[in-house]
Amino acid sequence: MTDPVPPDAHQPPQYSPQYPPQGQPSYPYGTPPPAGGAGSGRGFAIAALLVAAAPVLLGGLWPAITIQLYRSVYDPQLYGIVNAVFSLFTCALAVVALILGFVAVRRDAGARLLGGIAIGLAAATLVGTVLGFLSSTVGGQFL
């Protein structure tokens, strides 16, 4: 003889959804996003953008400084020294902006656009300043 079969024996078992225990936040995919703070990539990106924009804005002041320098004292050596100091300051700002831009791009995916803009500005400033410095130095040797 066979044993009687219960009526729900042929149905697949019903599973209840598993929820995280109370008091713990649920994150559907991977790890939780980092909290925005002083070490966030967006802060580095904004700082890099401001530092990269500084030489561009200071470049607008350079003609006024040159004109005032020519009006006050016409000394080619003084002009060369002031130009070298300004170029080194611009290069230093561009290098700092480049480093901050790379840090911002590596830290936060949301800050990649601002970090990329800062990297582009800093690289263009650095290349332009170095080429200008080299052309004035090499040109001064042949004149």
Side-chain angles (χ1 to χ4, degrees):
M1 246 175 99
T2 61
D3 292 328
V5 178
D8 61 342
H10 297 290
Q11 295 178 352
Q14 301 280 329
Y15 294 106
S16 63
Q18 298 294 323
Y19 293 106
Q22 293 292 351
Q24 292 183 356
S26 64
Y27 297 105
Y29 303 104
T31 61
S40 70
R42 184 166 175 80
F44 279 111
I46 291 172
L49 196 57
L50 290 175
V51 171
V56 175
L57 298 175
L58 289 175
L61 293 176
W62 181 242
I65 294 170
T66 306
I67 290 170
Q68 289 302 322
L69 190 61
Y70 277 133
R71 282 186 184 171
S72 64
V73 164
Y74 179 74
D75 186 10
Q77 287 180 341
L78 179 64
Y79 176 72
I81 291 170
V82 171
N83 190 18
V85 168
F86 189 77
S87 295
L88 289 175
F89 179 70
T90 302
C91 280
L93 283 177
V95 167
V96 168
L98 203 59
I99 292 170
L100 287 173
F102 281 131
V103 169
V105 167
R106 297 273 304 168
R107 281 240 174 139
D108 190 10
R112 286 192 179 151
L113 178 64
L114 290 176
I117 292 170
I119 290 170
L121 274 173
T125 301
L126 192 61
V127 168
T129 304
V130 168
L131 288 178
F133 189 70
L134 289 176
S135 68
S136 69
T137 305
V138 172
Q141 296 295 325
F142 292 117
L143 293 179

